[in-house]
């Protein structure tokens, strides 16, 4: 009968060492979230521009902020576990969360509004009447 080797690593360590699937990078997750939000808002803006109707802004701005907050949390919470919540991960995640939230909203609004203006250049906000000059 042989005794177990005391220098063998435990089974959980062997499984962890063999695991090669690393979580996605925070940069990649933020890029995916930003692309999804920007594309969705741009498609909605394009639909309103094609129908030549005004977007109900308060609803879409609030929806954009809410969805951006969810996407920012999804993209950046993994950063806190990598740093360690007890060793400064929480303040970093909070700063990155709000920075990403602002970036998502600004980029989506800019791209969506540029697309809206390209498709429907004469809008209700124009200082000229709808029949100007034709």
């Amino acid at each position: 009968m042989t005794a177990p080797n005391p220098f063998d690593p435990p089974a959980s360590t062997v499984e962890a060492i063999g695991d090669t699937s690393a979580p996605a990078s925070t940069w990649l997750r933020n890029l995916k979230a930003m692309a999804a939000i920007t594309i969705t808002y741009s498609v909605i803006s394009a639909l309103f521009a094609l129908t030549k109707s005004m977007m109900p802004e308060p609803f879409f701005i609030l929806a954009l902020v809410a969805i951006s907050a969810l996407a920012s949390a999804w993209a950046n919470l993994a950063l806190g576990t990598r740093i360690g919540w007890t060793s400064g991960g929480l303040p970093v995640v909070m700063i990155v969360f709000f920075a990403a939230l602002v970036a998502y909203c600004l980029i989506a609004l800019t791209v969506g509004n540029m697309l809206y203006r390209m498709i429907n250049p004469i809008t209700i906000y124009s200082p000229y009447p709808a029949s100007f000059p034709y």
Side-chain angles (χ1 to χ4, degrees), residues 7-55:
F7 299 108
D8 281 341
S12 62
T13 307
V14 172
E15 292 170 3
I17 291 171
D19 187 22
T20 59
S21 62
S25 166
T26 303
W27 289 102
L28 182 62
R29 291 170 68 108
N30 276 309
L31 185 64
K32 287 179 183 178
M34 183 175 46
I37 289 170
T38 303
I39 289 169
T40 304
Y41 189 78
S42 297
V43 167
I44 292 170
S45 295
L47 290 176
F48 276 97
L50 289 173
T51 60
K52 298 199 184 295
S53 60
M54 184 179 74
M55 288 182 71

